[in-house]
Amino acid sequence: MWALRALCLAGLGAAIGGGAAPGAPAPGAPAPGAPAPGSRTGNGGPGGSAPGGLGCAGGRTGWGSLGLSQEAGSVEQLSLHCAEGSLEWLYPTGALRLRLAPRLPPTSAAVKGGSPPHVTACIKPTGTFRGAQLYLEREGMLELLLPEAPRPRARCFSWLPQEKVALFLQATPHPDISRRIAAFRYELRGDWLARPALPAASLSACRPCNDTEILMAICTSDFVIRGSIRSVSNDAELQESIIGVSATRIHRQKFPLFQAGGRPGRPVGSIRTPLRCGVKPGPGTFLFTGWLHFGEAWLSCAPRYRDFQRIYEGAQRTRQNPCEFPVD
């Protein structure tokens, strides 16, 4: 069988699935070169037992495998439970079927009378993704997500918890499989996080935040930084703008996104936003808020600080501020 090597980020959270799950998409939507229905799947074929799950710790996982010992017509089963992680497939042969099964919290149930909650996944290939193509399998139908040698951009999609969704990673035939590695990072998120649409999938990311969204952003964002714009650069290939920020005060950051490097006592960092938003450098002090997406800071709301002060002080007077925040 395979030689597994797991790369811990904050613990392991991928579980090898049993062979009872279907090894290939339903008839009518096969991937190119997909194996026949009777081919070997999982660990030990149909009816075989899995060698046990690798538990999630801290919501992250890393997983890797060599495909050299896998049969060309086989489909291996893998379940992804963690909120985020990575997968690396060396010398791909055959196929992998990755069942997306995030562990949703009890509060993820839809509010009575409201719309059902969705789960969102984002996939970002490495710059050296080679040797396979990645498909989204939804209710037996396939959609190509990543061709071989894709651009290193994230692809996001959503589904309802009751829908059957998986990723189908199909090796592409090559006479020489050396130096081919199909590797990507993934994030699994649910609407219970009350976050705006992820940057790679948002159609309204450029819309200015209203007062309520600004007040919620300072309470729930991954980072809240007061500072000024140092520069704006555009990446046409990735369709992203990178905003260079000089921070005067770091109110919150989950990871050290902003570190010393600018003027004495002024941490600096960068925040990304879709290129179509047309961000321009401008004077003044802003309150930058947003989310981490594949380890990068993405902009959510960025009001001028004086406007934020007015909004927050007005909410305080009417007792409608969702959390306490230092204003000076």
Side-chain angles (χ1 to χ4, degrees):
M1 291 304 295
W2 289 7
L4 293 177
R5 55 187 185 85
L7 174 64
C8 286
L9 299 179
L12 302 176
I16 302 296
S39 61
R40 182 177 62 88
T41 63
N43 296 275
S49 60
L54 303 175
C56 241
R60 300 184 182 185
T61 182
W63 183 90
S65 176
L66 282 169
L68 292 176
S69 58
Q70 185 178 352
E71 297 176 9
S74 66
V75 178
E76 297 289 346
Q77 305 286 335
L78 186 69
S79 293
L80 303 180
H81 296 291
C82 289
E84 59 184 282
S86 61
L87 184 141
E88 186 178 72
W89 194 17
L90 306 180
Y91 319 130
T93 302
L96 298 179
R97 187 175 183 275
L98 312 173
R99 189 173 68 91
L100 302 178
R103 295 189 176 99
L104 302 181
T107 55
S108 65
V111 178
K112 187 176 181 180
S115 59
H118 285 73
V119 183
T120 298
C122 289
I123 307 295
K124 186 174 184 178
T126 63
T128 56
F129 186 102
R130 299 291 187 278
Q133 292 183 317
L134 183 67
Y135 296 83
L136 170 63
E137 179 190 328
R138 189 197 302 265
E139 300 295 339
M141 302 300 291
L142 293 180
E143 174 191 344
L144 181 64
L145 288 180
L146 301 178
E148 187 167 10
R151 289 188 295 176
R153 294 178 57 184
R155 291 289 308 273
C156 299
F157 53 92
S158 297
W159 71 95
L160 294 171
Q162 64 268 26
E163 288 186 280
K164 295 179 181 179
V165 175
L167 297 174
F168 194 78
L169 192 58
Q170 174 76 39
T172 51
H174 288 281
D176 178 14
I177 64 172
S178 64
R179 293 187 294 275
R180 285 187 168 82
I181 301 174
F184 60 84
R185 297 171 64 183
Y186 70 88
E187 295 178 345
L188 303 177
R189 299 187 179 189
D191 284 352
W192 74 88
L193 294 174
R195 299 186 175 192
L198 291 170
S202 175
L203 297 177
S204 59
C206 305
R207 177 182 59 80
C209 295
N210 59 36
D211 293 358
T212 300
E213 290 168 334
I214 290 172
L215 293 172
M216 287 302 300
I218 64 169
C219 302
T220 61
S221 294
D222 289 339
F223 63 88
V224 182
I225 306 292
R226 190 193 315 180
S228 57
I229 298 176
R230 300 170 62 240
S231 64
V232 176
S233 60
N234 297 320
D235 189 322
E237 181 181 1
L238 297 179
Q239 290 293 293
E240 298 173 1
S241 292
I242 299 94
I243 308 168
V245 173
S246 175
T248 56
R249 182 170 180 181
I250 299 175
H251 293 279
R252 178 168 69 253
Q253 59 176 346
K254 284 191 174 181
F255 296 98
L257 301 169
F258 289 77
Q259 303 182 35
R263 290 188 294 172
R266 290 286 185 92
V268 295
S270 61
I271 302 174
R272 296 172 183 266
T273 191
L275 180 63
R276 66 179 179 274
C277 294
V279 175
K280 305 290 184 183
T285 300
F286 298 83
L287 192 65
F288 299 95
T289 67
W291 314 108
L292 288 179
H293 184 51
F294 291 114
E296 297 169 337
W298 280 82
L299 186 65
S300 174
C301 300
R304 289 187 179 274
Y305 188 69
R306 63 174 181 268
D307 293 333
F308 163 72
Q309 286 179 304
R310 173 183 52 80
I311 294 168
Y312 183 79
E313 289 167 358
Q316 269 192 319
R317 288 193 296 270
T318 58
R319 297 184 179 180
Q320 293 181 337
N321 49 318
C323 66
E324 294 295 324
F325 191 85
V327 178
D328 51 38

